[in-house]
Structures are given as C-alpha cells and as structure tokens.
Amino acid sequence: MAAASYPATYATYESRVLARLLTTSETVGHWSATVIKDAINDARRNTQNELLNLYESRYFLRTRDQIAPQGRVIRLDTDVKRIWTFESLVGVPSEWVLVEIVDPVKATEAHYATVFRTVTDTRRSREQWSQIGDLLEYQGQSNPPGTQYRLRFAYQIADLQADQEVCPIPSEYQDLVVFEAASTLAMDAGQRERSMALMERRNERLATLRRTAASQNLGRRKVKRNTYQGFRRL
C-alpha cells in the first residue's frame, strides 16, 4: 500500500485502518464511526508522546513571545503539553535570558541555592516561576521584575473530527497510528490473533524509530547538559 501523503487527513487514516482490517467504510462490521475515530485519535496521541520522548523539541514546537504577566501569573494556552524554555527580556541592550521553572514546593530551596548567582555568570535570571495547572506563577514576594517573556512549548495535537482535517504527525511516522488503531479495533472485535499481528508490525516500526532517534540525539543531549550547566529543564 502506498504511503499517505503529508499531511494525512482523517479520511486517509480511516481508509487505511479499515484496509488493515480487511473491510471497507461501508461494511465496518463491529466498529461504529465513533469507535474508529476514538481508536485513531488515541493512537495519534500515543505516537505524539513517542516522538516527544525521542526527539524532544524537533516536532510539535510552538513559540509564544511578547507575553506580559497579569500580576504574578501568566496564563498558558490550553494545548500546552510540555514547556521547553521560558525566557525574560532583560538588560541594556536587551537580550533573552533563561528563567527557572521550579517545583512550587521546592521554590524556597531553589531560591537559596541560586541567591548568590547573577545573570552574568549563569545566563539565567534569578526570578523563579512554577507551573501550577494552566498557569505560570511567579514565586517572588511581589510582582515579577520582567515585563516581557517568551515561551517555547510542545503543544497537544487536537483530535481529528472532520474528514478533511489534517494531522501534524510527519508522514514517516503515520503507519504507527494506522497499525495501533487497527490493532485496537481488532482486539475490540475479538480478533486477538490479528490484533497481535498488527501491534507487532507497529512495534517493529517503533523499534526502528527508537534506534534512529538514539543515533540522531546523542549530540543534542550533550549540548543540553553543557548549556544548562547541570540544571534539569522541566
């Protein structure tokens, strides 16, 4: 079967999944349209998680800049999945410097650990924030010193609903979605052997993806350690 064009639409996913189940959209047997859609969207979310774990910020990256705090908080977009960097525009001439996002329970401990450091020698702002639900909350005693912030984050892909809605998962990884969704539907129909065979096909592709990611990401992990000077990025 020819690979789907990129980006794939929901209709493309549905037809490919049903083809793996040896049926057509007119004779779906055990599966309603809602069940098929749920299986496809579940598989898409799982595939996105794999790509984020393996490639970090290579995919699903969004930048939001010129952010002004509202008092002590910044309200996050509803689709924020993982924050990669949080920066403040400071200094003369102005430049972006990293701001720490710390566990709110450990904010005081983190403050004393960095209280004698300066922006100059760490390239890191001394202000500290915590992510609490859909907010970034400043952990200082008053309002944050910065007036403009920049946020880079991984966004949660939205569920596909209409036939012509497109998926941001790159084309080379779309078979992971197809095989996993088909496996789920086969298991729901009691076709255990077929379900396991489909999941095995999916796992073979996932193993190849993990090997490729490991070889491509060695340099990036080293740079991350050096750049952040031992700090763990949340």
Side-chain angles (χ1 to χ4, degrees), residues 201-220:
R201 297 282 297 277
R202 182 255 187 189
N203 289 339
E204 289 172 355
R205 284 162 171 75
L206 182 57
T208 300
L209 167 61
R210 287 173 175 168
R211 288 193 297 270
T212 302
S215 64
Q216 291 182 2
N217 279 4
L218 289 176
R220 295 179 67 239

Side-chain angles (χ1 to χ4, degrees), residues 64-128:
R64 203 182 134 199
D65 55 15
Q66 298 183 338
I67 303 172
Q70 299 176 349
R72 293 164 48 86
V73 302
I74 292 173
R75 184 168 297 279
L76 300 173
D77 294 346
T78 57
D79 63 351
V80 170
K81 186 176 179 67
R82 184 182 303 173
I83 294 174
W84 291 121
T85 60
F86 181 45
E87 299 165 285
S88 177
L89 191 63
V90 299
V92 180
S94 297
E95 62 177 339
W96 293 104
V97 296
L98 286 171
V99 176
E100 273 192 293
I101 300 178
V102 300
D103 187 316
V105 178
K106 298 183 178 179
T108 301
E109 175 186 343
H111 168 73
Y112 284 112
T114 61
V115 69
F116 297 111
R117 296 176 179 162
T118 67
V119 172
T120 302
D121 61 23
T122 65
R123 312 307 301 161
R124 177 183 294 270
S125 175
R126 285 171 53 183
E127 59 183 286
Q128 293 162 341

Side-chain angles (χ1 to χ4, degrees), residues 69-75 128-130 135-144:
Q70 299 176 349
R72 293 164 48 86
V73 302
I74 292 173
R75 184 168 297 279
Q128 293 162 341
W129 295 67
S130 295
L135 298 176
L136 281 176
E137 181 181 288
Y138 179 58
Q139 295 300 305
Q141 294 298 317
S142 57
N143 288 335

Side-chain angles (χ1 to χ4, degrees), residues 221-230:
R221 284 197 290 270
K222 182 176 181 181
V223 169
K224 177 180 172 181
R225 286 197 299 272
N226 291 342
T227 301
Y228 288 83
Q229 299 185 1

